[in-house]
Structure formats: C-alpha cells, structure tokens
Amino acid sequence: KPFTIFAPKNSPTSRAENLLQQPELVKRLLLDHVILSSKLDLTNLSTSDVSLPTLGGRTVTVRVDPKGVVTANNVTVLEKKIEVPNGILVIVDSYLFPDEEPIMRNGSVQLPSPSIGKHANIRPLSAVLDPKEAGKNQSNTSFVENVMEVLSFLKSRVRVFQHFVSRSNVSRLLREGEEYTVFVPTDHAFQRWHPIDWGFYPFSVPEFTESVIVNHFVKGRLKQETIRDGQVVHTLGGKEILFKRTRRYATDQGKDMLTRVANLTVNGAAIVKGDTPVEKGNIMFIGEVLFVSESVVSKLHQQHRDKETPPLLAFPWFGAQFLSHAFLALERDKRFTHITRFLNLADLAPHVSGAGYTFFVPTDTAFEELGLDKMPDNYLSNGEGLQILLNHFVKGRLYDKDLKNGTVLMTLGNETLLVNRTKDSVRINEALIVESEVFVYNLGTMFYIDKVLYNTIKVPTVPIGANFKTTTAPPTTSSASTAASLQFTRAEDVESVTGELSEEHEPEVLFGDGTQDTNQETEFTTMGPAQNVSYPK
C-alpha cells in the first residue's frame, strides 16, 4: 500500500539510546508518524487544513500559513516531498506528538488510548531524554555535526570519510545560517588508493587529505532533481566541479520494455541516486574520491617518500625492520661497500630494533681515510668497534629541518653529536653531510656523511691477506672503552653474507630525497644547544 512517513530530523545518539530502552514507546512513536494508504504531496497544498489518521490512531493536521510555511501539528516541515518506492518521506523539525509519552507502572508500560487524548499517566517526551539534551535547540547544530550523525548510522560503508572529516578543519569554513551540500565517497572509493600490502597511501599525507575533504563541500543545498546538465559549482577549497547527465536505456522491472534513465555524475564520478537531506543542507553519495588521480598520487608520492609503507622483511634482521631495509638499500649503492660489510657481521639488531631511527652513514672514502678499508668484515662486530657503529644511530626520525645549528643529539652509543649548520652546509661534529634525507620508507631517515664519527680504535698493522676478530666485552656506554685486543684467524672462519642478501634476491627498496612533512612530529633525544664544547671526529 502507499504510505507517507513524517520523519523527525536527526536526533543525538544519546536520545535514541534512551528511547530504545522502552521498546513499546518506540513502536508507538513510529506508528504515530506513519500514514497508510496515502501518498501526501505537500508541494501543492492549498490554504485549507488537511487532517489524516496515523497507524497509531492519532491525527496529523497539516496546514500552510500565508507566508507559505508548512507545518504538521505545529511542527515545521523541512522537506515536503522525498519520493521512495511506494511512498513519500516528509522531513519535520521534531516529533509530531512531543507532549505525550507513556509511563512505567508496576514494571510495565501503560499506553494512553488514542481516542482519549491526554491522559493522567502521560508526561512530556523530554522526560526520557538525556537531561543535557532536553531543551536544547537542535536547529543550532552545525551542518558538519548533522552529516557526521547521519554517517554514524551507516556503519562501515562511509567510515573512512567520516574519520577524515572528524579530524579536519572544514567546520571552520562554514558560516552560520548558510546551507551546504557534501559529496561523500564510499569506503570502496578510498580503498582504490590503498596499497595491498605495502606502498604509498596518499591519505597518509595530512595536508593533502585536508584539501581533499574540503573540496567535497559546496555552498548551497543542491538537489539531484534540480541540477542541470553542465552545471558548474565551486567547492569550499576553490576547486571547480562539473555535473553531467548521461542518458541510457534500461529494462523496466516487470515490464517487457525499455525505459530511458538519466545518470548524474560529478567530475565523472557517479552519484548514487537519491538525496539525503539534513538540517542546513544535503548529502550525496559518490563512487569516487574527487580530485584524486593517478598523476596526482604519483606526484605526491615523489614529494613524500617518507610516507611509503615497507614490505615486511624476514632477513637480515626480522626484529629490526629499519636496519634491514637500510642495509639492503646501502648494499645496492657502490659508495657503501665498507659500512655494509661491517653491518653484516655486527650484532646491531638488539640495539636498533623496530623502526624510528636516524642513521648517519659514512661513505667508503670516510673509512679509507682511517685505513679501515683494509680491516676484515668482523672488525667492528663487537666491543669498541660495535660502539663506533652505534654512535652513528640516533633514536627518532630526523628531517633536515630538525638539524638546527647548535642542536646536540644523543646517539645509541650514549655519545653526543653537535649540529653545525651554515648557509651552505650541515656538519655532524666534523663530518659533512653530503646527501640529506634519504628516506627508508616510513621507518626512518639516513644522512650520508664524509667522516666516521667517534673513531677511537687505533688501526693495527696486519699481515697481507690475514683476518682477525675482536674478543672484547660487550659495548659499553662510554667512548672511553679500552681498545680491543686482537687475535688472528683464518679467512674461512669469518661468517659470510647469506645468499638471500645477494642483489638478485633482495626485494626492491625505494628511497630518495623528498619534501619533508612540516606537520611531522619528530621524536629524538636532544641535549639542547651546546656552548664552547669541542667534539672528536
């Protein structure tokens, strides 16, 4: 049968939860807002009143005043006609019968008789609402709050957009008294841009996400039935959007005939048929995220390599993902043959576990200046040698902007590094940074330097072709550790690099310079600005 439903505007969740605690009241409330066997078209009302019975036995009186304002039981009608299959929805400002509500007696709900009218056991509906909500003028809620409330009832289908809106500043762009329309992409639309296992997700860049969200809001209450083919409007972010109506023929259900159907799109994205009106505006659902394309994402990726998520590596060190990815990246670069062979045999993983580090990486030239290029692979594997390696790592991800002149950093070896920044160069102690911000996915950052930091080992003279290993105690927390005692061993005793780490087997590692995120919160240990302090090389 045809029907008309008077749907009160969105109410706060706390109100709905309180009502749901009394199911009989909810049932009665719903029946009192439904008119069966009649599709009431309020767009063509005369000045005379119209009274109709509800399924709950109550009477709804609809009237229009001289100014054209339509009310139902003195409640303002916000939307006169929303067509749905077999019926019509009428959006009203509040409940049609807010003055009556059954009370509890002897553990049961007592309902008033529809034919009696007001009853002694009736109290205001607001009595079951949250006291904080009672009496609040809901018409003062913002458009964004109304949108978020509607989205919260749609479960998981629009959760991503809801999440981003809740963290955006779009509400600051809305003016009191204005109406707006928002185009809400589905979760599936965002999923298209999410990497399957690892890669770059454009919405991990906060400023880009904020821009995209703002550009899904437009000023004015747009309705699908009144949007013209070729109509152009501008978003709150200043972007231009174009509406197009494409026509096609489809088979009419239950009939052996073709029906002409018009599909509405916005910037090429299909709009789900049907408006979702809310107070102060309208919601339309779309199948794509506006202003996001392959070219846009590719350019953004080049600027934000530090946001790229990495593949999970089982080797060289499963529990040290930053160290593993940094090692594989350096191994592919011919400038770092010495640091990689020293890292390969050093027991660094327990000290550099997980992610979130900065690694100051000496080039081969730096090791050659000290004669360390002639030392065996296990020369820095433990003791004071391991301490040297640890003094090239800082806990926390640093960007170039963090390396301010005079900043003092604490290494994993408990030594301090002084940043000396000038207009043309940046030095860490006496080491010059020759390449800045080499991102190891979103795990950390490397800076390439031209000197070895805190080299306190005196390089011994060894026979040509001989190898040796250190036999000192584990690394200490001071650079004043005693020098390692050395004993010679055969070359075959030295552990070799596993086959899985060879170039033909290693996974692709992407890294490179990029524009740092100015909103990035950096966690690292600093000692404050240094004064009159000299630091060893």
Side-chain angles (χ1 to χ4, degrees):
K1 293 183 179 181
F3 61 86
T4 299
I5 296 177
F6 288 87
K9 67 179 182 181
N10 303 305
S11 301
T13 305
S14 59
R15 302 179 71 185
E17 290 177 351
N18 285 322
L19 287 173
L20 289 175
Q21 294 175 3
Q22 300 191 43
E24 290 296 328
L25 171 61
V26 174
K27 179 179 178 181
R28 178 60 177 276
L29 194 65
L30 293 175
L31 293 177
D32 284 344
H33 286 74
V34 178
I35 296 174
L36 196 60
S37 302
S38 177
K39 295 174 66 174
L40 189 60
D41 187 354
L42 302 185
T43 59
N44 298 313
L45 276 181
S46 62
T47 56
S48 59
D49 296 349
V50 176
S51 296
L52 296 169
T54 69
L55 282 179
R58 312 294 288 277
T59 299
V60 177
T61 300
V62 180
R63 59 172 55 95
V64 56
D65 66 13
K67 295 182 180 180
V69 177
V70 180
T71 60
N73 284 15
N74 296 321
V75 175
T76 303
V77 174
L78 302 177
E79 292 287 333
K80 300 176 183 178
K81 181 181 179 182
I82 299 177
E83 294 190 13
V84 295
N86 297 325
I88 289 178
L89 295 182
V90 178
I91 308 300
V92 291
D93 190 46
S94 185
Y95 298 103
L96 297 182
F97 306 97
D99 58 330
E100 295 185 9
E101 183 263 315
I103 63 173
M104 297 291 295
R105 278 197 175 179
N106 299 324
S108 62
V109 178
Q110 295 185 356
L111 300 174
S113 171
S115 61
I116 295 178
K118 293 188 177 181
H119 192 274
N121 290 338
I122 296 174
R123 58 192 173 99
L125 180 62
S126 59
V128 300
L129 305 181
D130 188 326
K132 296 181 180 180
E133 301 293 338
K136 183 182 289 186
N137 185 355
Q138 296 301 317
S139 63
N140 290 333
T141 57
S142 73
F143 173 67
V144 172
E145 290 173 338
N146 293 330
V147 170
M148 294 294 285
E149 185 178 350
V150 171
L151 299 185
S152 67
F153 289 109
L154 297 179
K155 303 298 182 183
S156 61
R157 290 179 292 176
V158 290
R159 185 168 295 175
V160 178
F161 185 81
Q162 181 184 5
H163 171 80
F164 288 145
V165 170
S166 68
R167 286 157 175 75
S168 74
N169 294 315
V170 66
S171 59
R172 298 181 182 180
L173 302 177
L174 307 184
R175 296 183 178 180
E176 187 69 25
E178 297 282 357
E179 292 186 331
Y180 298 90
T181 299
V182 59
F183 300 94
V184 179
T186 62
D187 286 350
H188 181 74
F190 284 97
Q191 186 65 30
R192 171 188 172 186
W193 302 105
H194 201 287
I196 297 176
D197 293 315
W198 58 277
F200 179 68
Y201 184 49
F203 299 103
S204 64
V205 182
E207 59 269 28
F208 175 76
T209 304
E210 175 76 11
S211 173
V212 169
I213 294 301
V214 168
N215 284 312
H216 280 72
F217 287 78
V218 300
K219 188 176 180 180
R221 184 193 291 263
L222 302 180
K223 298 181 180 179
Q224 293 186 21
E225 62 181 11
T226 60
I227 293 176
R228 304 184 308 276
D229 182 28
Q231 182 176 343
V232 175
V233 297
H234 288 83
T235 70
L236 295 186
K239 296 282 189 178
E240 186 178 277
I241 60 176
L242 171 67
F243 293 98
K244 296 289 291 184
R245 289 189 179 275
T246 58
R247 303 188 181 278
R248 62 183 179 85
Y249 288 92
T251 303
D252 194 354
Q253 292 184 352
K255 300 180 181 179
D256 189 16
M257 60 181 297
L258 293 178
T259 303
R260 196 176 186 184
V261 179
N263 292 331
L264 182 63
T265 63
V266 53
N267 280 17
I271 299 178
V272 178
K273 186 176 181 180
D275 295 310
T276 303
V278 296
E279 185 181 357
K280 299 183 180 180
N282 190 23
I283 301 174
M284 298 186 197
F285 297 95
I286 56 179
E288 296 288 343
V289 183
L290 300 179
F291 306 107
V292 181
S293 63
E294 294 289 350
S295 60
V296 169
V297 172
S298 177
K299 182 178 180 180
L300 190 69
H301 184 193
Q302 296 300 320
Q303 297 172 341
H304 295 276
R305 291 283 187 179
D306 59 316
K307 301 295 185 182
E308 186 174 3
T309 58
L312 183 64
L313 296 181
F315 62 90
W317 306 281
F318 178 76
Q321 290 297 302
F322 168 75
L323 185 61
S324 295
H325 281 285
F327 176 84
L328 294 177
L330 294 170
E331 195 179 43
R332 296 166 62 91
D333 194 321
K334 295 180 179 180
R335 295 174 294 173
F336 301 102
T337 59
H338 296 311
I339 187 64
T340 52
R341 66 188 182 90
F342 290 139
L343 289 176
N344 185 50
L345 295 186
D347 189 23
L348 275 176
H351 305 279
V352 196
S353 60
Y357 296 93
T358 298
F359 184 13
F360 295 100
V361 188
T363 62
D364 282 354
T365 303
F367 287 101
E368 291 165 2
E369 287 181 357
L370 300 174
L372 292 174
D373 58 313
K374 299 179 176 62
M375 296 299 102
D377 295 352
N378 65 341
Y379 184 63
L380 303 181
S381 62
N382 52 38
E384 193 172 355
L386 181 60
Q387 196 74 13
I388 291 177
L389 293 180
L390 289 174
N391 284 327
H392 289 77
F393 290 87
V394 172
K395 178 62 178 176
R397 180 170 205 169
L398 296 174
Y399 291 80
D400 179 72
K401 65 183 177 65
D402 299 313
L403 301 181
K404 298 180 175 62
N405 186 48
T407 299
V408 179
L409 309 172
M410 180 67 71
T411 72
L412 295 186
N414 284 345
E415 296 289 358
T416 54
L417 302 177
L418 173 65
V419 179
N420 182 7
R421 190 180 193 106
T422 65
K423 180 180 179 180
D424 301 320
S425 65
V426 180
R427 292 182 181 273
I428 305 299
N429 288 359
E430 297 299 323
L432 176 68
I433 294 180
V434 296
E435 189 168 340
S436 181
E437 286 188 341
V438 181
F439 297 126
V440 184
Y441 293 96
N442 63 353
L443 303 173
T445 311
M446 294 190 292
F447 292 84
Y448 299 159
I449 56 178
D450 68 347
K451 294 185 183 300
V452 177
L453 301 174
Y454 283 101
N455 177 46
T456 57
I457 294 182
K458 183 178 180 181
V459 179
T461 302
V462 296
I464 297 177
N467 290 300
F468 61 89
K469 60 184 178 181
T470 58
T471 59
T472 62
T476 66
T477 58
S478 171
S479 61
S481 304
T482 57
S485 60
L486 307 174
Q487 73 178 52
F488 295 103
T489 185
R490 295 173 300 174
E492 53 266 29
D493 293 332
V494 180
E495 182 181 356
S496 60
V497 180
T498 58
E500 289 84 357
L501 296 182
S502 61
E503 184 171 346
E504 59 268 24
H505 290 94
E506 67 186 35
E508 181 70 13
V509 179
L510 303 178
F511 63 96
D513 292 336
T515 303
Q516 67 268 22
D517 179 5
T518 57
N519 294 324
Q520 176 76 22
E521 294 184 2
T522 306
E523 296 182 2
F524 55 92
T525 305
T526 65
M527 303 290 292
Q531 297 180 356
N532 301 323
V533 181
S534 61
Y535 293 86
K537 296 181 180 180

